Amino acid sequence: MKNKNAIFIPLKNSNLLCLSTFIFCAIFCSSSVFSQDKDVGSIHGNFQTDVQYYNVDTVIGAPIVPEKLLMNGFANIIYTKGNFNAGLRYESYMNALQGFDPGFKGNGIPFRYASYSLDGLDVTVGNFYEQFGTGLILRTYEERGLGYDNAFDGIRVKYSPLSGIYLKGIIGRQRLFFDYGPGIVRGIDGEIMLNELSEYFSEMKTRITVGASFVSKFQRDQDPIYNLPENVGSFGGRLNISRGKISLLSEYAYKINDPSAVNQYIYRHGEAMFLSASYSQKGLGIVIAAKRIDNMNFRSDRNATANNLNINFLPALTKQHVYNLAATLYPYATQFNGEMGIQGDLIYTIKKGTLLGGKYGTGLNINYSAVNNIHTVPLDDLNEKRIGYTSDFFTPGDEVFFRDFNVELTKKISKRIKMNLMYVNFVYNMEVVQGLGGKGTVYADVAIADISFKLSDKSSIRTELQSLTTKQDLGNWATGILEYTYSPSWFVAVMDQYNYGNTNPDQRIHYVTGSVGYTKKANRFMLTYGRQRAGIFCIGGVCRNVPASNGLTLTITSSF
């Protein structure tokens, strides 16, 4: 939907003028206000561009790219003077790289803001990101690797009337590519940090923080079939308690009926709960967490799908893997409509001088996570109230969405040699997580060896050997990586992913890539050439599809 009231600055005409006017007006206004002050403030920022040239590669099923060459780029420019700051972000997609939503197209300034703080009051006008609690009813953020940006455009006010009392209020519309969604989001949040209220409380060993939030959205009902609520409210409460080595965190959120494309326009309410307990001391850390999500998709456009216009954030509560096969073949994506999950994490350092600790000590990390559906009883009311189902809050369903058991061992062998060894066991419901009907559940084992060898004070070499074995999906995979680094400027790397266990001999493909990078002070250049297999890329339970590709990629990053 085109929003005529949105303040989007197209860069076809006087874009650079608009860009410079915004920044330099801020400077001049600030200089005028502080005319007796010789400090005119400072300007800083950063820049990044990713340019890829695509080859035709029918063997891996890479889609044809008519433009041959695509580009994503952005630059942040921020002006700061005392308690005042203003900034903007220019973005360019000519056209967007494969795998990013084609809604990102063209040039523009989708993010600009000005803010100041004075006597406990903090005011922001323009674009901003915000989070209430863990984000169960409100969190906006940017993750460029996913093409995810649900920033607000509006007004945010923060105020602290007393030490230990923090209030927030926001109202705005959310970014949708170079436009804005049709809904208006309003929210308030209050937090009390008990130990900051008085000297008496500050001396308590137990630290207590309580908070509560309310968020609502407004979107006109223009649906010809359903009578849809135009105002949808949600609220949440949280309590954090810590004492010494132990911390407890709890949060609950409730949303009134919010028929949407994601929940098939049912009128059931939504609920979410997140619990976490942790213990830490020198050499030992333990975290146990649990969550329940029921119909908590919350967007400022009820018809939006994919990663567009999310008001809230529902954490995945699974380990964020970094090694290639474990991270990219079967990552978990949060299920908005219903899931129950637990996760336990143990981090332990075996002491130096012991049999297993050796001369330098040994790091051990054991992690387990499990996610099922929620137990539901369907209601045959889709032609009447459309509640959809009932669900007992504490009862998990029988369908397994995801299991991940992994053990990681980190060991320094000598002054020159370090290694990480890792084992991962996955149970992965592809039909649910990736929406691939007929794919069923994958049972996979992953073994990883990561060994670094320091050749000299400036040079080192690192190798990764990875194996994934499974009888389902595409069968077995192997990955090998060899990387040479010459500090502080150069690195060269070669990686080969080989699908040697594919049941189709023609699809037993090598995905080989080579990279070279150069860094000088705040500037970094990287060239990559080779094949990329199709899959999904996830961060924190939010994912995007990645199509197969073959070509040359140039990445430049810089800051000032």
Side-chain angles (χ1 to χ4, degrees), residues 355-373:
L355 178 63
L356 297 177
K359 185 177 180 180
Y360 299 96
T362 300
L364 177 66
N365 184 190
I366 301 174
N367 173 273
Y368 177 73
S369 57
V371 187
N372 275 34
N373 66 331

Side-chain angles (χ1 to χ4, degrees), residues 186-412:
R186 298 73 55 96
I188 56 173
D189 180 78
E191 189 167 88
I192 298 175
M193 303 183 75
L194 189 64
N195 304 88
E196 296 182 10
L197 286 179
S198 70
E199 187 174 344
Y200 172 78
F201 288 123
S202 69
E203 295 176 354
M204 291 173 53
K205 292 183 178 179
T206 302
R207 319 297 292 180
I208 300 174
T209 302
V210 296
S213 309
F214 178 79
V215 176
S216 76
K217 68 169 182 177
F218 171 78
Q219 182 182 6
R220 291 201 178 280
D221 175 18
Q222 297 175 323
D223 193 281
I225 301 174
Y226 304 118
N227 181 21
L228 301 174
E230 294 188 330
N231 287 284
V232 175
S234 64
F235 60 84
R238 57 189 183 274
L239 172 64
N240 301 341
I241 301 175
S242 64
R243 184 183 177 92
K245 301 171 182 177
I246 299 174
S247 295
L248 304 173
L249 184 153
S250 62
E251 183 165 355
Y252 171 80
Y254 182 94
K255 177 169 65 80
I256 70 167
N257 68 87
D258 181 21
S260 69
V262 173
N263 69 9
Q264 305 298 314
Y265 295 95
I266 63 172
Y267 287 71
R268 178 179 168 78
H269 66 270
E271 289 179 288
M273 183 179 69
F274 180 82
L275 302 172
S276 173
S278 63
Y279 174 86
S280 66
Q281 65 173 48
K282 185 178 180 181
L284 175 64
I286 300 172
V287 179
I288 299 172
K291 71 169 182 178
R292 183 182 193 273
I293 294 171
D294 179 2
N295 192 32
M296 273 302 286
N297 173 67
F298 193 23
R299 303 175 192 245
S300 56
D301 181 355
R302 62 176 73 90
N303 300 312
T305 57
N307 291 331
N308 300 328
L309 298 171
N310 285 302
I311 298 174
N312 62 344
F313 172 75
L314 303 171
L317 207 57
T318 56
K319 187 180 180 73
Q320 188 76 48
H321 288 285
V322 296
Y323 288 106
N324 180 264
L325 292 177
T328 62
L329 275 173
Y330 304 117
Y332 186 69
T334 300
Q335 302 303 304
F336 298 114
N337 287 338
E339 64 175 28
M340 292 183 73
I342 57 170
Q343 180 175 217
D345 205 28
L346 169 68
I347 301 173
Y348 181 65
T349 301
I350 303 173
K351 293 182 179 178
K352 301 176 183 178
T354 61
L355 178 63
L356 297 177
K359 185 177 180 180
Y360 299 96
T362 300
L364 177 66
N365 184 190
I366 301 174
N367 173 273
Y368 177 73
S369 57
V371 187
N372 275 34
N373 66 331
I374 58 174
H375 179 265
T376 60
V377 178
L379 298 174
D380 186 18
D381 67 344
L382 294 183
N383 294 320
E384 301 171 359
K385 295 182 178 179
R386 293 187 66 83
I387 301 299
Y389 60 89
T390 62
S391 178
D392 184 274
F393 191 85
F394 295 102
T395 305
D398 296 327
E399 186 174 10
V400 173
F401 287 174
F402 186 71
R403 295 285 187 273
D404 178 0
F405 172 74
N406 56 85
V407 181
E408 184 174 9
L409 194 70
T410 304
K411 180 69 178 174
K412 184 176 180 181

